[in-house]
Amino acid sequence: MASAAEQLAANLNFAAFSKAEDLKKRIWFTLGALLVYRLGTYVPMPGIDPQALAQAFQQQSTGILGLFNMFSGGAVGRLAIFALGIMPYISASIIIQLMTSVIPSLETLKKEGEQGRKVINQYTRYGTVLLATVQAYGIAAGLQSASNIVTNPGTFFIISSVITLVGGTMFLMWLGEQITARGIGNGISLIIFAGIAANLPAAIAQLLELGRTGALSTAIILLVIVVVVACIAGVVFFERAQRKLLIQYPKRQVGNRMFQGDTSHLPLKLNTAGVIPPIFASSLLLLPVTVANFSDTSNLPGWATAIIASLGHGQPLYMILYAAMIAFFAFFYTAIVFNPKDTADNLKKHGGFIPGIRPGERTADYIDYVLTRITVVGAIYLVVICLLPEILISAAGIPFYLGGTSLLIVVSVTMDTVAQIQGHLLAHQYEGLVKKAKLRGGRRGVR
């Protein structure tokens, strides 16, 4: 049976969209907020020499700075006020989720519903300020130690840079929350999406320019197009894939009436961890190379230099570690965000059960067993999606923005946003039907 969203997608028309005034306001608000974000990525920090910065950044564009520059929409390369982007907030959110699993007081807050969620969100904001401050100080100190980048080095530059960068991150966090509440889609995800999507046209143009100058053959360009299309199709298929567990509810009696037992499904996503595993794996793998590029490696022993060299893009050790870390974080983050015991307890509390499985601990074990099996498939999917473009990047020298992580984020966020738009349209159509039914009922009453 087709889902409500699929039924709506088959019947969508411009007339239905034109009547949904609230939806149009949400879309315009989202576009306006993303425009503000994009303008902010071009506002430079004070006290920076742009030419010296461009030369220094070009040497580090394949390291972790290049990854952060992709997520920030080029703000890192320009050292704009949004150079830190939204990554400190994402890191703080993940740290709070980890602490929720090990600290009983936070776990209790998580179970308190809306009030507990507000307190946890406040802790996340405090963590964001702390992480952003540390990262901003590191950036300011690193820029000051580099030659010719800072025009007037000193304490005032450090303080002003930290205030500017932390303020930019906090503004983006607030902007993301406003998009989530008053716009369409997840605000934080859309900000990352906007940063990546803004640079995709330049990456495609660079790819075509390489083909025009003969640096890339036509066969390689066609192969890149085929791989990108295949990756997009794979992301769409696997992100929509679910394992639905049948849930039954027993018969219940209300007064003298007996109500038939109901059935529903518990959907388990194939990729519960989302885009977090490749982001974390890329960040951790590129960190040693970036630190080494900023440091003097002449005094390092030979084995250390060999390891750093083998961690570059396209190297066999990099590929193996990248795949292993993606698989590890897929299982690790899934275990954090989904607790089979809590799900089993909620089912038992509401009288639901899985046919053939005893409620309580046996249900939790069964859900954990199914979740582990589908996470294996999800981890393999993430590894394949992320490694195929990496192989092309290393073999053919295609732009860094066409990597698997960027494609995964762009396609996943697009799907989630379209699903929310369909949900709003469905709700609008339902409200229209209810109003018509009430109007007809009122007319009949008058007659």
Side-chain angles (χ1 to χ4, degrees):
M1 181 178 179
S3 66
E6 290 170 344
Q7 291 176 1
L8 176 64
N11 299 319
L12 279 182
N13 53 65
F14 289 105
F17 180 79
S18 63
K19 295 178 182 178
E21 295 296 332
D22 179 67
L23 176 60
K24 288 193 289 185
K25 290 179 181 178
R26 286 178 172 270
I27 292 176
W28 281 116
F29 179 85
T30 302
L31 293 176
L34 294 180
L35 178 61
V36 171
Y37 160 65
R38 288 302 302 155
L39 291 175
T41 60
Y42 288 91
V43 179
M45 284 174 50
I48 300 294
D49 184 353
Q51 295 182 351
L53 173 66
Q55 294 176 358
F57 182 80
Q58 190 173 5
Q59 301 173 358
Q60 308 294 331
S61 59
T62 58
I64 193 171
L65 293 183
L67 182 70
F68 288 162
N69 191 49
M70 178 182 70
F71 291 149
S72 65
V76 174
R78 294 185 289 268
L79 261 186
I81 58 175
F82 292 159
L84 283 182
I86 204 67
M87 294 304 292
Y89 177 77
I90 295 175
S91 301
S93 300
I94 295 172
I95 292 172
I96 292 296
Q97 287 179 344
L98 286 171
M99 295 175 65
T100 302
S101 304
V102 297
I103 299 178
S105 58
L106 289 179
E107 188 175 3
T108 303
L109 279 175
K110 185 179 179 181
K111 296 179 180 179
E112 288 182 357
E114 182 67 20
Q115 189 63 32
R117 187 180 65 83
K118 289 182 179 179
V119 176
I120 291 178
N121 286 343
Q122 196 63 29
Y123 289 159
T124 304
R125 295 187 185 100
Y126 294 150
T128 302
V129 173
L130 179 61
L131 289 177
T133 302
V134 173
Q135 292 179 17
Y137 177 79
I139 290 176
L143 290 172
Q144 190 165 261
S145 63
S147 59
N148 301 327
I149 295 181
V150 180
T151 55
N152 295 305
T155 305
F156 179 76
F157 171 77
I158 296 288
I159 295 175
S160 63
S161 299
V162 170
I163 293 175
T164 301
L165 293 175
V166 173
T169 295
M170 299 310 294
F171 176 79
L172 287 183
M173 182 185 69
W174 174 83
L175 192 65
E177 292 176 349
Q178 294 301 308
I179 293 175
T180 303
R182 302 171 58 186
I184 284 291
N186 182 283
I188 303 301
S189 300
L190 281 173
I191 287 175
I192 298 177
F193 165 84
I196 297 174
N199 289 280
L200 283 179
I204 295 173
Q206 182 182 347
L207 179 66
L208 297 177
E209 180 65 19
L210 291 174
R212 188 187 67 83
T213 57
L216 288 180
S217 65
T218 304
I220 292 295
I221 294 179
L222 292 176
L223 178 62
V224 169
I225 295 174
V226 170
V227 170
V228 169
V229 172
C231 287
I232 292 174
V235 171
V236 173
F237 176 80
F238 282 100
E239 290 298 322
R240 290 174 62 92
Q242 294 179 344
R243 172 70 160 89
K244 295 182 178 180
L245 300 181
L246 180 64
I247 305 297
Q248 289 188 347
Y249 293 91
K251 297 180 180 179
R252 56 192 178 91
Q253 184 173 358
V254 179
N256 295 327
R257 298 185 62 182
M258 179 67 71
F259 290 88
Q260 187 68 26
D262 196 10
T263 60
S264 65
H265 291 88
L266 174 66
L268 300 177
K269 286 191 65 176
L270 194 69
N271 178 29
T272 307
V275 298
I276 295 299
I279 291 176
F280 265 44
S282 301
S283 301
L284 291 178
L285 274 178
L286 294 175
L287 183 60
V289 178
T290 305
V291 173
N293 289 337
F294 276 114
S295 307
D296 183 12
T297 59
S298 58
N299 297 325
L300 291 177
W303 61 268
T305 306
I307 291 177
I308 292 173
S310 62
L311 288 177
H313 269 293
Q315 299 298 323
L317 180 60
Y318 173 85
M319 295 293 190
I320 293 172
L321 291 178
Y322 188 40
M325 293 176 74
I326 288 175
F328 168 76
F329 283 118
F331 282 93
F332 182 72
Y333 195 70
T334 299
I336 293 174
V337 299
F338 190 93
N339 191 333
K341 188 176 184 303
D342 290 344
T343 304
D345 291 340
N346 289 331
L347 287 175
K348 186 177 180 180
K349 185 186 303 182
H350 293 90
F353 63 94
I354 300 175
I357 307 295
R358 293 181 60 183
E361 187 175 349
R362 293 290 298 275
T363 298
D365 293 340
Y366 178 74
I367 294 175
D368 183 65
Y369 168 73
V370 174
L371 188 64
T372 301
R373 289 200 305 171
I374 65 175
T375 303
V376 171
V377 181
I380 294 173
Y381 142 71
L382 286 176
V383 169
V384 172
I385 288 295
C386 293
L387 280 190
L388 275 179
E390 284 291 338
I391 294 172
L392 281 178
I393 288 174
S394 60
I398 65 173
F400 182 71
Y401 282 94
L402 295 178
T405 306
S406 58
L407 288 176
L408 183 64
I409 293 173
V410 168
V411 177
S412 300
V413 174
T414 302
M415 290 174 57
D416 291 340
T417 306
V418 170
Q420 288 204 24
I421 293 175
Q422 291 177 346
H424 279 279
L425 280 175
L426 183 63
H428 176 74
Q429 288 186 346
Y430 177 76
E431 290 176 358
L433 292 174
V434 171
K435 289 179 180 179
K436 288 181 180 180
K438 288 182 177 180
L439 183 60
R440 289 173 183 172
R443 289 175 179 174
R444 289 174 183 173
V446 172
R447 291 177 183 175

